[in-house]
Amino acid sequence: QGAATDAETDSARTAIADANALWARWVNENKPDSLVTLYTENGVLMGPDAPMATGKDSILVRIRQFVMPGGTLTITSANLSVSGPIALDRGTYTYTAPAQGGNPPVNARGKYLDHWHKVDGRWLIAENIWNSDAPPPQQQRP
């Protein structure tokens, strides 16, 4: 039984690493519409400084706001825990994008936590949250 469990865990780790690589590739190729295929039907996206998005349609709207032409994302998984059909992946990211449309360039670094489910033999994101390591903006004192 231990060998089967080890094999299943190794398979999950490989599938999730491959999905993370797809995530980065699709961001870097400016293909936000492809990213939604990595989520469960009722997946939840909790990006920074925005309301939670639930379900693929809502997630797609939100992802389109985050992905910018010319952007470069790197994802580094630090800890991936697998238990049967559920996995948690914790790691870090960097994201850079050039200035465009009057917006300044992006140079972000932060951390993420993804909750994965194995659905019909495929590992998909059930919940995804990330935030920046940047300090909060300074508040003006009255």
Side-chain angles (χ1 to χ4, degrees):
Q1 181 178 354
T5 302
D6 290 346
E8 289 170 1
T9 298
D10 289 345
S11 175
R13 289 178 188 279
T14 299
I16 292 169
D18 290 348
N20 279 340
L22 273 178
W23 179 276
R25 186 177 107 207
W26 287 335
V27 167
N28 297 343
E29 293 175 354
N30 193 33
K31 295 181 178 176
D33 293 11
S34 297
L35 293 168
V36 76
T37 65
L38 298 174
Y39 287 85
T40 62
E41 285 302 316
N42 294 315
V44 178
L45 180 140
M46 296 172 277
D49 304 320
M52 182 169 55
T54 302
K56 287 188 173 190
D57 291 342
S58 181
I59 289 171
L60 180 56
V61 169
R62 191 62 40 74
I63 285 175
R64 286 178 178 161
Q65 296 170 353
F66 289 116
V67 176
M68 293 183 265
T72 301
L73 175 70
T74 58
I75 298 172
T76 304
S77 178
N79 186 317
L80 177 61
S81 301
V82 180
S83 181
I86 296 173
L88 291 175
D89 179 27
R90 175 181 49 83
T92 59
Y93 72 89
T94 61
Y95 183 65
T96 59
Q100 50 195 289
N103 293 320
V106 174
N107 189 4
R109 156 180 324 277
K111 60 264 181 209
Y112 71 89
L113 183 66
D114 290 338
H115 168 199
W116 295 80
H117 282 196
K118 191 172 187 181
V119 180
D120 297 328
R122 187 169 172 226
W123 285 96
L124 299 170
I125 301 168
E127 297 171 300
N128 164 235
I129 187 168
W130 75 93
N131 55 60
S132 171
D133 288 346
Q138 294 295 317
Q139 299 294 320
Q140 295 294 326
R141 296 184 184 249

